[in-house]
Amino acid sequence: MKPKTTKKYLFIGNIRIVTAKTNDAKGSGSVSASGKGTQTGQKSISSMYAKLKKGSQYKAYFSGIASTYDNKQTFMVAQDAHITFTYR
């Protein structure tokens, strides 16, 4: 997430992983991060990897909200935001 702000912000969200073909749930995890400006961050949820098979395709769905520390700006992850990936 890259909030369009120059202020410090806090992001709280969730990542949910499903199989790409059948949408079977493989795991989910909470993420949180802070940042400043339009910087990006990364968060690894390694506990979900045990349920993934190498060479298989998955979808990771994202949800969450970022707010500036002064609570004057709020940014939400777009509805149905996701990526499709192959686990290696």
Side-chain angles (χ1 to χ4, degrees):
M1 171 169 204
K2 291 184 181 181
K4 292 187 178 184
T5 183
T6 57
K7 298 180 179 184
K8 290 183 179 181
Y9 63 87
L10 175 65
F11 175 78
I12 298 173
N14 190 64
I15 299 173
R16 179 174 55 93
I17 297 179
V18 300
T19 56
K21 290 183 180 180
T22 62
N23 286 326
D24 289 337
K26 291 297 174 183
S28 64
S30 298
V31 292
S32 62
S34 59
K36 183 176 180 183
T38 56
Q39 75 182 34
T40 58
Q42 296 181 26
K43 179 74 174 186
S44 173
I45 304 178
S46 58
S47 61
M48 282 192 263
Y49 298 156
K51 298 179 181 179
L52 306 183
K53 292 182 182 177
K54 288 185 178 183
S56 295
Q57 276 200 329
Y58 299 93
K59 290 182 184 178
Y61 286 90
F62 306 97
S63 60
I65 190 166
S67 294
T68 55
Y69 278 73
D70 61 9
N71 290 319
K72 291 186 177 181
Q73 293 177 293
T74 302
F75 307 90
M76 293 186 70
V77 174
Q79 188 173 355
D80 199 39
H82 69 278
I83 60 167
T84 300
F85 67 96
T86 301
Y87 183 66
R88 300 189 190 274

